[in-house]
Amino acid sequence: MSSKFAKWYDFFMRPLEQRKFKRIRSDLLKGASGKVLELGSGTGINFPLYHNVDKVIAIEPSQPMIDRSLVKKKAAVVPIEIVKASAENLPFEDCTFDTVVATLVFCTIPNVEEAIHELKRVCKPDGKVLLFEHVKMENAALSKMQESLTPFWKKVCDGCCLDRETLREFTNQGLKIERVEHFYKDLFAVAVLRNNQ
């Protein structure tokens, strides 16, 4: 990930984060417990929102994003460790985490299937997976527009795909959706899943 994209990410996301995303993130992360793995922690936007968890280990493959997250790490009220790693190759033992968190990250992961396989491996049996992702919309015209925009969008937004069916990818690998809520005409989905191994 480029240092330029990391530098401007928070600036461009600020209007959405201040308007609604912060509340969505806060509500979702109330469900986190025990030892937590956060995938693709980016600039650390979630770090100050964790409460009542033992520890958060955050993985992020981009050094510029890690560098920008250190200020938010200091603002956290729970212990946070940042590890430079990719979601497709997690450097952790099987059944390590009680909760896995992913917010606005599966749109950019190159190999979604492998990342979900790894997530399931390191999550404890019956552990929770908390997701906040933008997804392919149900409306045929809007989903078609997402498909047509994705090649351009990927170039300007560091690999972000607008048209991924992320929830379907999770259920295809055996994770059970316990709760799902949609926002902005189903462009964004918040879901709580269970790791039924």
Side-chain angles (χ1 to χ4, degrees):
M1 184 172 287
S2 70
S3 58
K4 187 179 290 186
F5 184 80
K7 178 181 178 180
W8 289 102
Y9 181 83
D10 283 341
F11 175 80
F12 285 114
M13 290 296 290
R14 189 170 293 122
L16 279 171
E17 292 290 349
Q18 291 178 342
R19 189 171 302 129
K20 195 155 189 175
F21 282 11
K22 184 176 181 180
R23 180 182 64 78
I24 291 171
R25 291 175 187 274
S26 296
D27 289 346
L28 180 67
L29 295 179
K30 285 176 185 174
S33 60
K35 190 173 183 180
V36 178
L37 172 66
E38 180 173 338
L39 301 179
S41 54
T43 61
I45 193 81
N46 290 330
F47 291 172
L49 304 178
Y50 284 105
H51 300 275
N52 304 315
V53 303
D54 297 335
K55 180 179 182 178
V56 176
I57 297 182
I59 66 123
E60 170 56 50
S62 164
Q63 190 61 48
M65 284 291 200
I66 291 172
D67 294 342
R68 296 191 69 81
S69 73
L70 298 179
V71 172
K72 296 185 186 76
K73 178 185 173 186
K74 289 179 183 177
V77 297
V78 301
I80 292 180
E81 177 185 349
I82 303 171
V83 176
K84 187 174 182 182
S86 71
E88 298 98 329
N89 188 22
L90 297 173
F92 309 113
E93 298 292 329
D94 295 358
C95 307
T96 297
F97 298 95
D98 302 285
T99 309
V100 179
V101 172
T103 62
L104 304 182
V105 65
F106 269 90
C107 54
T108 58
I109 291 173
N111 190 327
V112 172
E113 187 174 326
E114 185 60 32
I116 296 173
H117 176 78
E118 277 289 272
L119 174 158
K120 286 185 64 181
R121 180 183 66 78
V122 302
C123 185
K124 292 178 181 177
D126 206 39
K128 281 185 290 190
V129 179
L130 307 178
L131 295 180
F132 170 36
E133 298 289 342
H134 67 72
V135 294
K136 191 171 185 178
M137 302 171 82
E138 293 292 330
N139 180 282
L142 293 175
S143 64
K144 196 72 176 174
M145 184 172 67
Q146 286 178 295
E147 290 174 3
S148 62
L149 284 173
T150 288
F152 167 77
W153 193 259
K154 283 175 71 174
K155 291 178 182 177
V156 298
C157 293
D158 215 65
C160 175
C161 298
L162 293 170
D163 57 351
R164 283 192 172 162
E165 299 183 76
T166 304
L167 291 182
R168 184 175 295 175
E169 295 274 4
F170 273 84
T171 56
N172 284 348
Q173 293 207 41
L175 286 105
K176 180 183 177 183
I177 297 178
E178 292 193 336
R179 179 174 66 84
V180 65
E181 190 174 359
H182 295 276
F183 298 90
Y184 294 101
K185 299 185 183 294
D186 79 9
L187 174 59
F188 293 92
V190 171
V192 177
L193 301 98
R194 191 68 64 174
N195 186 29
N196 294 334
Q197 292 188 343

